Amino acid sequence: MMDAPSVPDPVFVLAAPRSFTSLITAMIGQHPELYGLPELNLFQCDLMEEFNTGLTPDGISKSPVWKTMRHGLLRTVAELYAGEQTVESIHMAERWLARRADRTSAEVFHELCKSIAPLRVVEKSPGVLRKQVFMDRMLEAFPNARFIHLLRSPVDQGRSVLKAKGGIGVLLAMNCVDYRGEEAALEPQILWHDTQVQILRFLDKLPDEQFVTVRGEDLLNDLDNSLGALCRWLGVSDDVEAIAAMKRPEESAYSCLGPANARLGNDVNFLRSPALREGGVTSTPLDAPLPWRADAAPLHPRVQALARELGY
């Protein structure tokens, strides 16, 4: 009788929204020894009943877009247990989740990892970074997981958030508003700053070997060397075939729009056009006038200082 495969601890990508997260997570997940998932959002909940209903234990709605935040897990269950993502297999996934309503999110995540073993799960859910309790739940479930702190320059990340579908809603939900002027104005640099602080506080709990910081611009501008270094840090093959597979994120089963009852699970722009486009990725200088500000002010000094500390 053959032994069951060991279940490796997952790899979590921690990053602010619009920080190349969809592309780079999909790339890493295409490595032959890894398995990239869409956004599961599991650790925003304790029990699966909360995930299924979208209601907190005291009956408050978790998010006005919680229905779409469930799409990644539904697509994952459909793909893993039905071998396809169709309207019918998504209905099956709903039943699968309903049968686990009394389980914890950690138990369900462990079950998924076991079904994927010996491949190692790679996942990112930016919503988990909203609250420290969500991140603590993730670490409690997987104390030996690896964490990739993925960065993007604050000016470019802020510009991207404002352009993205739903980006303004994210800024409002996170209270990223500057009240210092005569009129209140959306200020995406608050999202960048507060997310990095949240991640850094979390990483302070971990030994150095358990996490790595990656600037997305550096990775995309030097793919072979950056991906090779990341593979060696993860302890997986860095041969030519593995690196080539990572450059084909569009081959993931999740790198496309899903069926009508679970369309998303990732950034919609990535899902519509998931291929890697090789070429130079630039960073806007930290002291440049911000394109979204009427007064053309640069980044706040605290944001500039943190960005420089992180290598920009």
Side-chain angles (χ1 to χ4, degrees):
M1 184 174 179
M2 295 182 62
D3 293 334
S6 61
V7 181
D9 288 295
V11 180
F12 293 110
V13 178
L14 309 177
R18 308 301 298 173
S19 299
F20 312 113
T21 54
S22 298
L23 173 63
I24 290 177
T25 302
M27 289 172 63
I28 297 169
Q30 282 301 103
H31 188 285
E33 298 170 53
L34 307 174
Y35 189 93
L37 292 175
E39 296 176 10
L40 301 185
N41 291 304
L42 271 168
F43 293 116
Q44 293 191 56
C45 306
D46 183 13
L47 290 177
M48 291 305 297
E49 177 69 17
E50 183 181 350
F51 186 92
N52 293 344
T53 63
L55 298 176
T56 64
D58 51 5
I60 298 172
S61 175
K62 294 185 65 63
S63 167
V65 294
W66 185 254
K67 183 176 180 180
T68 60
M69 295 177 76
R70 299 174 72 249
H71 286 185
L73 181 55
L74 289 169
R75 292 183 64 179
T76 298
V77 172
E79 181 68 29
L80 293 178
Y81 296 101
E84 60 180 4
Q85 298 170 53
T86 62
V87 170
E88 291 76 15
S89 65
I90 296 297
H91 288 317
M92 177 278 295
E94 290 279 15
R95 295 190 295 272
W96 189 94
L97 290 177
R99 290 195 299 272
R100 289 159 176 78
D102 60 347
R103 297 190 189 180
T104 66
S105 56
E107 288 173 331
V108 168
F109 208 123
H110 275 279
E111 184 175 353
L112 295 176
C113 289
K114 185 176 180 180
S115 71
I116 292 166
L119 301 183
R120 187 176 191 177
V121 164
V122 181
E123 196 262 355
K124 59 99 176 178
S125 292
V128 171
L129 308 183
R130 292 191 301 111
K131 294 184 179 181
Q132 190 67 45
V133 65
F134 299 163
M135 301 183 74
D136 291 342
R137 194 175 286 150
M138 174 173 56
L139 185 59
E140 183 178 355
F142 295 101
N144 297 312
R146 291 290 187 99
F147 298 91
I148 299 172
H149 181 191
L150 179 61
L151 294 162
R152 185 178 187 180
S153 171
V155 180
D156 302 302
Q157 187 264 353
R159 182 190 292 115
S160 182
V161 168
L162 286 171
K163 288 174 59 179
K165 183 177 181 181
I168 291 176
V170 170
L171 294 175
L172 289 171
M174 299 298 291
N175 196 29
C176 297
V177 181
D178 185 353
Y179 296 99
R180 293 174 298 172
E182 294 183 4
E183 295 184 3
L186 288 174
E187 185 46 88
Q189 65 178 299
I190 297 173
L191 176 63
W192 185 92
H193 176 273
D194 291 357
T195 302
Q196 308 314 322
V197 170
Q198 182 89 316
I199 293 171
L200 291 171
R201 286 174 178 165
F202 174 77
L203 296 178
D204 276 346
K205 304 176 183 180
L206 306 178
D208 290 348
E209 62 271 15
Q210 203 167 338
F211 68 90
V212 66
T213 300
V214 176
R215 289 185 293 275
E217 298 91 345
D218 294 346
L219 187 149
L220 294 172
N221 286 332
D222 189 11
L223 284 169
D224 288 345
N225 288 325
S226 296
L227 292 176
L230 199 54
C231 288
R232 291 187 290 277
W233 178 74
L234 288 170
V236 297
S237 172
D238 64 349
D239 63 23
V240 173
E241 291 78 12
I243 300 299
M246 297 171 82
K247 293 181 183 179
R248 299 192 296 271
E250 70 277 7
E251 293 184 4
S252 166
Y254 309 105
S255 291
C256 58
L257 291 168
N261 48 350
R263 296 282 282 167
L264 300 178
N266 222 321
D267 174 65
V268 67
N269 296 307
F270 170 76
L271 295 178
R272 287 174 173 156
S273 183
L276 172 65
R277 294 164 188 80
E278 296 194 46
V281 180
T282 59
S283 296
T284 302
L286 298 178
D287 58 357
L290 296 176
W292 59 80
R293 290 191 65 99
D295 59 6
L299 293 167
H300 189 280
R302 283 200 299 272
V303 179
Q304 291 194 45
L306 180 56
R308 290 194 177 95
E309 183 181 333
L310 291 169
Y312 287 101

